[in-house]
Amino acid sequence: MLKGKTALVTGSTSGIGLGLAKALAAQGANIVLNGFGDVEGPQAEVAALGVQVAYHAADMRQPAEIADMMAYAASRFGRVDILVNNAGIQHVARIENFAPERWDAIIAINLSSAFHTTRLALPAMQAAGWGRIINLASVHGLVASGEKSAYVAAKHGLVGLTKVTALENAGSGITCNAICPGWVLTPLVQKQVDAKAAELGLSNDAAIKLILSEKEPSRQFTTPEELGALAVFFCSPAGNNVRGVAWNMDGGWVAQ
Ligand code: NAD
């Protein structure tokens, strides 16, 4: 379905981003990966799906590096047809104890980077008359939890940016939507599980049970594969007129 298209996924060396990159590659899209840590493993996983895969190491805190990545993607594949703004980090502390540097980093990576990639991707999408922008927000783009001030502010901001991007391009073939997962067991969440286990003296499994029972009625993690299927739907012809939604996949979290 996406053969001949190019998808750039920020923060795709791990977790949800890698899952989304693989779901789009399985539909035939060439992929530009981005993120830190092991690169060869993720590149091989995507290439095994029979598409071309490229990588750029841009740090999402740095607008100049983001511009470099977007120019690289255009020079390698012509243009970015599908932009997935996924890179994100978390930090947990009450506001009075929240380190200002952590606030700045979360706003830069989880929110401002999406503005920069979007402003740089749109002109080529507009010239082509087709594009898909998918923003990985969170249930925390819709509701709050304590001790996550920067994350909740960034994700609410990302849902707002999603709506404006969708509206400004509503007369074209470019759609923009947000995906709002509840808990997904990735390295980002494993850190929170480890912290809970250490704080309360629990086993890994007991900490997971406790975390899921606090907010997620299904008591189940959403998987990167399930989120990938939603991203594929947004890219499909059936998604042509889905514009500016923030679609939660959260085991009932925000239904409460
Ligand atoms: P993860 O830690 O597994 O992956 C994060 C990715 O972002 C990695 O590839 C990492 O290298 C990259 N990254 C981090 N800082 C970066 C930077 N400065 N520049 C470029 N890349 C950077 O996390 P994940 O759980 O897969 O999270 C992916 C997205 O999904 C995030 O936006 C997160 O907020 C969101 N999300 C996650 C969950 C969850 O439960 N895991 C729930 C809701 C939303």
Side-chain angles (χ1 to χ4, degrees), residues 10-94:
T10 68
S12 46
T13 49
S14 166
I16 296 169
L18 180 55
L20 264 57
K22 285 165 66 177
L24 296 169
Q27 297 297 323
N30 295 323
I31 302 292
V32 183
L33 294 172
N34 158 259
F36 302 149
D38 175 34
V39 173
E40 279 173 18
Q43 264 184 319
E45 283 184 50
V46 175
L49 296 162
V51 299
Q52 293 182 56
V53 53
Y55 167 77
H56 194 285
D59 181 336
M60 291 299 113
R61 285 168 293 197
Q62 307 294 343
E65 292 185 26
I66 294 171
D68 221 47
M69 176 182 74
M70 299 306 289
Y72 165 74
S75 72
R76 177 75 199 268
F77 292 116
R79 69 168 174 270
V80 171
D81 305 286
I82 300 163
L83 170 65
V84 183
N85 291 307
N86 166 81
I89 59 167
Q90 177 63 283
H91 179 68
V92 180
R94 289 177 60 87

Side-chain angles (χ1 to χ4, degrees), residues 194-210:
D194 293 345
K196 187 68 87 180
E199 181 195 335
L200 301 177
L202 298 173
S203 68
N204 184 66
D205 285 358
I208 284 177
K209 266 200 184 132
L210 178 64

Side-chain angles (χ1 to χ4, degrees), residues 10-18 34-37 56-62 65 85-90 105 108-110 113 136-140 151 155 158 179-192 216 221-222 224 227 253:
T10 68
S12 46
T13 49
S14 166
I16 296 169
L18 180 55
N34 158 259
F36 302 149
H56 194 285
D59 181 336
M60 291 299 113
R61 285 168 293 197
Q62 307 294 343
E65 292 185 26
N85 291 307
N86 166 81
I89 59 167
Q90 177 63 283
I109 296 168
N110 297 23
S113 74
L136 240 297
S138 164
V139 284
H140 287 115
Y151 190 85
K155 295 300 188 182
L158 190 56
I179 298 179
C180 300
W183 290 117
V184 186
L185 191 56
T186 65
L188 180 143
V189 162
Q190 187 60 50
K191 277 187 212 150
Q192 295 173 64
E216 188 134 344
F221 289 109
T222 301
L227 297 167
W253 186 318

